[in-house]
Amino acid sequence: MNKHHSHRELIGTISQLLRNQSTATIFLHQAIAERLGINPTDHKCMELLLKYGSMTAGELAVKSNLTTGAITGVIDRLEKANYVRRVKDPNDRRRFIIEIVPDCLPAFEQLFQSIGEETASLLNSYSDHELMVIRDFIEKSTEVALNVTSKLRQG
């Protein structure tokens, strides 16, 4: 088998493995969302709030790449589940800031602790050089996903 052919086969195998990983990840996030009593989009928006802190609905729409209409639904559902609350912006009384309800944090922390531990264990099995290659691939493949998402949304 020539080098070019095996390289092409390896790319095909990795592409299939990425599709498998994507499917497994979507089902993982569906299971997490179900455990939390929300849907996967709401769960990922909650993750953005956990990562970046309180923000306006418009800021959450930009960070999530969702429409403002879709974000209103997300916030309504998260508020109903008692995960977030709308508070008046002290700098502009016409705007609301979306903030996390602190009482819900232990449920999220507990859920993600085991995932974090298993991921850390897996990553510890790689050398620093391998981790740098993995990091590079994840950064670039994430950029590809964001670009494709943007193109799909633009029509």
Side-chain angles (χ1 to χ4, degrees):
M1 183 168 15
N2 68 38
K3 184 179 176 192
H4 181 70
H5 186 68
S6 64
H7 184 78
R8 187 174 30 206
E9 285 179 357
L10 189 54
I11 288 172
T13 299
I14 290 171
S15 293
Q16 183 58 55
L17 290 170
L18 284 169
R19 286 191 293 278
N20 296 350
Q21 180 193 36
S22 173
T23 299
T25 300
I26 286 173
F27 289 139
L28 168 65
H29 289 290
Q30 177 68 39
I32 290 169
E34 286 171 6
R35 176 69 61 94
L36 294 169
I38 54 181
N39 73 45
T41 298
D42 299 351
H43 151 55
K44 296 313 274 182
C45 287
M46 185 71 183
E47 195 172 298
L48 291 171
L49 288 164
L50 288 164
K51 180 178 180 180
Y52 296 108
S54 300
M55 64 184 82
T56 66
E59 291 166 335
L60 186 56
V62 169
K63 288 200 182 305
S64 64
N65 224 353
L66 295 171
T67 65
T68 52
I71 281 297
T72 299
V74 167
I75 295 166
D76 288 346
R77 290 186 299 273
L78 288 174
E79 196 171 39
K80 185 177 180 190
N82 212 24
Y83 289 138
V84 303
R85 60 185 165 223
R86 290 172 168 99
V87 295
K88 290 237 185 240
D89 184 338
N91 301 319
D92 182 350
R93 303 293 287 168
R94 297 166 296 177
R95 289 189 340 166
F96 287 91
I97 302 286
I98 310 309
E99 67 178 26
I100 293 173
V101 174
D103 291 351
C104 80
L105 292 175
F108 281 84
E109 290 164 358
Q110 182 182 19
L111 207 49
F112 291 106
Q113 183 177 349
S114 67
I115 295 168
E117 289 169 359
E118 288 195 44
T119 301
S121 177
L122 171 63
L123 291 172
N124 277 319
S125 69
Y126 293 96
S127 70
D128 286 351
H129 175 72
E130 290 168 325
L131 288 171
M132 288 170 56
V133 171
I134 292 167
R135 182 186 69 187
D136 179 67
F137 175 78
I138 291 172
E139 287 172 348
K140 289 176 180 171
S141 64
T142 300
E143 195 61 37
V144 167
L146 291 171
N147 289 339
V148 171
T149 301
S150 181
K151 287 176 186 171
L152 286 170
R153 292 232 162 93
Q154 291 170 4

